[in-house]
Amino acid sequence: MWSEELKKMTIEHFGDFSETILKTVAKGKYSYAVGFDRNLYITDKAEALIPESEKDKRYFIFTMDDSRKPATFIKAYDFIEDLVEDGWAID
């Protein structure tokens, strides 16, 4: 779905600027989200949205509210490559 260049850029630069704005395509339509790398930065609000069963993971994706802040938990990943394989990329 995404170019190899965009996938590589996502893996190399996820979290460079605190939260990361991400995109994915489902049913031909773009969706946007905000992602965090816990080892680099995560807001208290985002941390509070993570289910207990996912708290040991490193990468987190949330829906965004109008101010691009985390609103709802989407998914957590242990590895950035899994996040990219699931179709997420830096916007």
Side-chain angles (χ1 to χ4, degrees):
M1 163 175 34
W2 303 118
S3 70
E4 290 304 313
E5 181 180 20
L6 182 56
K7 290 177 185 180
K8 182 179 178 188
M9 183 172 32
T10 301
I11 290 168
E12 292 175 355
H13 297 287
F14 188 96
D16 280 359
F17 301 103
S18 304
E19 65 250 5
T20 301
I21 305 303
L22 299 166
K23 62 186 174 185
T24 192
V25 177
K27 299 178 184 175
K29 190 173 182 179
Y30 286 99
S31 295
Y32 296 90
V34 60
F36 294 93
D37 176 343
R38 169 178 273 141
N39 289 0
L40 299 175
Y41 172 81
I42 190 165
T43 65
D44 291 340
K45 180 177 181 179
E47 187 74 40
L49 295 171
I50 302 168
E52 280 300 318
S53 61
E54 302 295 321
K55 288 202 181 266
D56 63 334
K57 300 204 174 161
R58 178 172 174 181
Y59 301 96
F60 302 94
I61 300 177
F62 304 87
T63 61
M64 292 184 292
D65 67 16
D66 292 339
S67 60
R68 293 190 166 205
K69 302 294 181 201
T72 307
F73 174 81
I74 296 175
K75 194 162 181 181
Y77 299 89
D78 289 314
F79 304 102
I80 190 67
E81 292 83 2
D82 294 336
L83 180 146
V84 171
E85 189 64 33
D86 251 1
W88 293 99
I90 287 177
D91 183 45

